[in-house]
Amino acid sequence: MPLSDPSSGSLWFSAAPAPSTPLGSFEDSAVAWATWVTLMGFVGVTALALMAAGPAARRIGADALGAVTARLARAAVVLAVLAFAAVLTDLAHSGDSGGFNYKAAWNALYDGTNAGRLSGLEVTMLLVGAASTAPLAFRTAANGSARKGLLIAGLGAGTIALGTTRFPDEMPEEWGRTIFETGMWMLHLFGGAIWLGGLAGLALLAVPGAVPPAERAAFWSPTIRRFSAAAMSCVTAITLSGLFLYWEHVDGPSQLFTTMYGRVLGVKILIFGTLLLLGVFNQFWLHPRIDALRAAGDERPLRTILVRRFPAVVAVETLLGMSLLFVAPFLHGSARNQAFQADAAKHSAVAISPEDLPRIPDKVVSASTWVLGSTETVALIALMIAGYWFSGVLARRRTAAAPGQKSSTGDLVGA
């Protein structure tokens, strides 16, 4: 929108410099990255112990259940404590001084404001999560009757802590839009936490010592299948919420190249796409062959390749996930607004400070938007269900075709 020169009343089109959009402080982004990695890692590792690794280990025996749960619980406690420290560090660094004022950060918790209540709830739930999972770090409790209840308590506390990061701290002007947007953010965060944190947990279990060598074959196949189902659900949630956020903040693919927000988002999309490709490789090539190896015996040459490749692939996926979380804090504002403000500055006769630049109105949701969104949702869910079913068919076919048909007690993962 052209801005008029108040001195003449006419429109000027002189080339005032376009406003710069800095990436932000590297220090701020590093602190935010530490918060996201530890908080989402706690949720993902706890969910893995509760929904995938734990049930698979229980079928083997109490010793396997205790060993697997204890290793994941120790990691969860460390992550929760680190997340507590990272949240306080983020609050301590959020002032205008540019330093780290931990006293002010502590006093800001439950200070009577909505932001203070949310920050206080976040750190409280992290401590509750750490306290809930701490007893499971000992094998006597890790395979006891309280195991499931403690994991549910820890996961619930972590979920609340993660959710507070996107709860609105002010009364919204449009309740419907705010509720829907918050719901999309919850899908994005919880999907990413269970997927990426679960990958980190799998990488941790792949380190020798968590599962006895004689029981690894019986452990990894059901664990991978259970985690694959959860991961595909998470990918669906991330993709659907990501499409909404893209619609909300970007006006067309060209803004991925012409705005700072778009370029950062483009890097994030590339990393996410690479993770998806590795997930497809796992789902349709690696996992079905692991199932086949379990039924084939111990002398197949392909086995040596697979047992070395699985931990490597999971480690690469974990590093890519951490890289994605590092890029995310650099996203500031929106591509739509940055492009709008650059155009406004371009058509202004004088330089305009960033504070005085106009802001583009939010997009208006129309009937066609709901139709398109609903169609994308149904199509994506159907695609994921079909993909999971087909990968199971591949696994059954390769298992049936494997020579010998005897159950292998060999090491499917690890040396």
Side-chain angles (χ1 to χ4, degrees):
M1 179 183 296
L3 297 180
S4 60
D5 182 355
S7 63
S8 64
S10 60
L11 294 178
W12 289 77
F13 297 90
S14 58
S20 62
T21 306
L23 283 173
S25 168
F26 179 85
E27 192 176 60
D28 291 344
S29 296
V31 172
W33 173 79
T35 304
W36 289 120
V37 166
T38 53
L39 181 51
M40 296 176 76
F42 172 74
V43 173
V45 168
T46 308
L48 178 70
L50 181 64
M51 297 186 294
R58 183 186 293 277
R59 296 173 59 185
I60 299 173
D63 290 341
L65 178 63
V68 168
T69 303
R71 176 167 288 196
L72 293 177
R74 291 166 192 158
V77 172
V78 171
L79 287 168
V81 172
L82 291 176
F84 173 82
V87 171
L88 281 181
T89 301
D90 193 22
L91 290 172
H93 193 55
S94 60
D96 298 329
S97 62
F100 293 88
N101 190 338
Y102 286 94
K103 181 179 180 180
W106 185 260
N107 291 334
L109 304 178
Y110 299 112
D111 62 356
T113 65
N114 288 335
R117 295 186 188 97
L118 289 175
S119 298
L121 182 61
E122 183 178 5
V123 298
T124 300
M125 288 297 102
L126 285 171
L127 293 177
V128 170
S132 299
T133 53
L136 301 177
F138 303 94
R139 294 196 181 191
T140 53
N143 58 12
S145 58
R147 172 190 168 276
K148 186 175 181 180
L150 290 173
L151 284 175
I152 291 175
L155 181 59
T159 299
I160 295 173
L162 184 58
T164 59
T165 61
R166 287 296 175 180
F167 288 164
D169 57 8
E170 296 179 357
M171 292 294 290
E173 296 180 0
E174 299 181 40
W175 277 96
R177 186 186 185 97
T178 301
I179 292 173
F180 187 82
E181 186 179 73
T182 302
M184 290 295 102
W185 272 114
M186 295 302 104
L187 286 178
H188 213 64
L189 292 178
F190 296 147
I194 294 173
W195 182 29
L196 300 179
L199 285 173
L202 289 179
L204 189 64
L205 291 177
V207 177
V211 184
E215 298 169 345
R216 287 174 182 161
F219 170 76
W220 279 106
S221 181
T223 298
I224 290 170
R225 289 300 293 175
R226 282 176 172 270
F227 178 72
S228 294
M232 294 186 77
S233 300
C234 291
V235 168
T236 303
I238 294 169
T239 304
L240 289 174
S241 55
L243 287 172
F244 168 77
L245 295 172
Y246 176 88
W247 170 85
E248 189 176 45
H249 295 293
V250 182
D251 277 338
S254 64
Q255 290 185 356
L256 294 176
F257 304 95
T258 58
T259 65
M260 183 60 71
Y261 182 98
R263 288 190 284 270
V264 174
L265 180 61
V267 173
K268 185 180 176 184
I269 291 173
L270 286 176
I271 297 174
F272 179 70
T274 304
L275 277 167
L276 281 183
L277 290 177
L278 285 173
V280 169
F281 169 79
N282 286 342
Q283 192 71 20
F284 295 99
W285 193 89
L286 189 60
H287 297 172
R289 280 164 173 75
I290 288 179
D291 286 342
L293 287 174
R294 189 183 173 198
D298 294 337
E299 302 302 327
R300 302 180 68 202
L302 184 61
R303 179 181 179 276
T304 303
I305 300 174
L306 288 179
V307 298
R308 294 175 181 174
R309 185 169 295 175
F310 175 77
V313 170
V314 172
V316 170
E317 287 181 310
T318 302
L319 291 175
L320 283 173
M322 294 176 70
S323 300
L324 188 148
L325 294 178
F326 180 76
V327 171
F330 288 99
L331 288 169
H332 301 288
S334 75
R336 297 179 65 244
N337 198 60
Q338 289 174 11
F340 178 76
Q341 291 182 342
D343 186 66
K346 179 181 177 182
H347 293 87
S348 174
V350 295
I352 308 175
S353 64
E355 294 78 11
D356 296 329
L357 284 167
R359 294 187 60 84
I360 192 171
D362 293 334
K363 283 186 177 178
V364 177
V365 180
S366 63
S368 61
T369 305
W370 283 109
V371 171
L372 178 60
S374 300
T375 303
E376 290 174 343
T377 301
V378 173
L380 188 58
I381 292 175
L383 179 63
M384 291 298 174
I385 292 175
Y388 184 75
W389 170 82
F390 183 66
S391 68
V393 170
L394 287 178
R396 288 190 293 271
R397 286 178 180 175
R398 286 166 183 153
T399 300
Q405 292 301 308
K406 60 181 179 178
S407 177
S408 170
T409 57
D411 177 5
L412 285 175
V413 178

